[in-house]
Amino acid sequence: MIWRNKNKSDKVTSDMMSKQKRYEALVHAWHADIFRYAYWLIKDKSIAEDVVQETFLRAWKSLDSLQDEKAAKSWLITILRRENARRFERKQFDLTDIDDVSVADEIQISHEQGLQHRELHKHIGALATEYREPLILQAIFGLSGEEIATQLDLNKNTVMTRLFRARNQLKEALEHSNEMIGSKNG
């Protein structure tokens, strides 16, 4: 009887260690990308950190449901989007103007590039959510139109149209900004 309980105990311990290793590998591989996406969605570092933490907590709880490791990124993005939606169900947060938020890069970039970088972030942040979200999924995560359609539960043609419009709106906004800068300098 003791021998049988010991075998069960060893198997449970082995299963837990295996799950822990899978989870650690998942966090190591995707934490930075998931946080970056959360920050783009939420635009508040501390709230994004909380949502990412909740995302990985839910991932831990349902790790056994992840059958295909190749789908981990999409799985985590889905969890993150649901966690973000849950925070609106619980409480309405104050909004922060995108002009007040800056994203610091790990490397130091030149002053001119920094200005261009902030200008780009400002214009991306000004896009409507329906255009901004697919653009970020494509630019940050490198998702295809099909993958974005799956993530956002949209038709692929709708996604491609939104990406096209997002890029055009971004291009027009940047051209307008350059014209404004040119008229101030000229």
Side-chain angles (χ1 to χ4, degrees):
M1 184 70 177
I2 294 174
W3 177 254
R4 193 179 328 160
N5 285 341
K6 184 172 183 191
N7 285 341
K8 286 181 183 179
S9 174
D10 288 345
K11 181 169 174 23
V12 169
T13 302
S14 175
D15 289 348
M16 288 298 291
M17 289 176 63
S18 174
K19 182 178 180 179
Q20 180 70 27
K21 286 180 183 176
R22 280 183 70 205
Y23 177 74
E24 287 174 3
L26 185 76
V27 171
H28 179 72
W30 299 113
H31 185 273
D33 287 342
I34 296 299
F35 174 75
R36 191 170 37 247
Y37 181 61
Y39 187 78
W40 271 100
L41 282 178
I42 299 166
K43 296 176 189 61
D44 182 296
K45 184 179 178 188
S46 63
I47 295 172
E49 288 169 348
D50 289 346
V51 171
V52 169
Q53 185 174 13
E54 286 296 320
T55 297
F56 280 103
L57 178 64
R58 286 193 186 271
W60 167 258
K61 289 177 180 176
S62 58
L63 188 59
D64 295 330
S65 70
L66 177 63
Q67 301 300 320
D68 183 9
E69 298 296 324
K70 294 176 187 170
K73 179 171 55 171
S74 296
W75 183 64
L76 288 169
I77 290 170
T78 300
I79 295 171
L80 178 104
R81 292 181 77 240
R82 289 179 180 155
E83 280 304 308
N84 188 42
R86 279 187 192 95
R87 77 182 177 100
F88 289 106
E89 292 171 2
R90 293 184 290 240
K91 181 180 176 185
Q92 197 62 267
F93 289 93
D94 294 335
L95 298 177
T96 303
D97 188 8
I98 191 70
D99 295 332
D100 298 337
V101 177
S102 65
V103 178
D105 288 334
E106 291 181 24
I107 60 174
Q108 188 67 18
I109 55 179
S110 73
H111 179 67
E112 185 176 312
Q113 287 175 329
L115 291 175
Q116 290 172 350
H117 194 259
R118 282 192 295 275
E119 188 75 16
L120 182 60
H121 277 273
K122 180 179 103 178
H123 290 303
I124 291 172
L127 292 173
T129 303
E130 68 187 54
Y131 299 126
R132 181 176 61 236
E133 195 167 16
L135 184 64
I136 291 168
L137 286 171
Q138 184 183 55
I140 291 178
F141 287 104
L143 297 183
S144 68
E146 236 172 71
E147 292 170 322
I148 295 169
T150 302
Q151 282 297 314
L152 300 179
D153 196 27
L154 296 171
N155 180 303
K156 181 183 175 192
N157 292 334
T158 303
V159 169
M160 299 311 287
T161 299
R162 288 182 181 183
L163 285 169
F164 177 79
R165 289 179 180 166
R167 286 190 293 269
N168 279 346
Q169 288 178 14
L170 195 55
K171 180 182 172 187
E172 289 173 7
L174 289 169
E175 287 172 353
H176 180 70
S177 288
N178 289 337
E179 288 173 10
M180 296 299 288
I181 290 170
S183 68
K184 288 180 183 176
N185 293 335

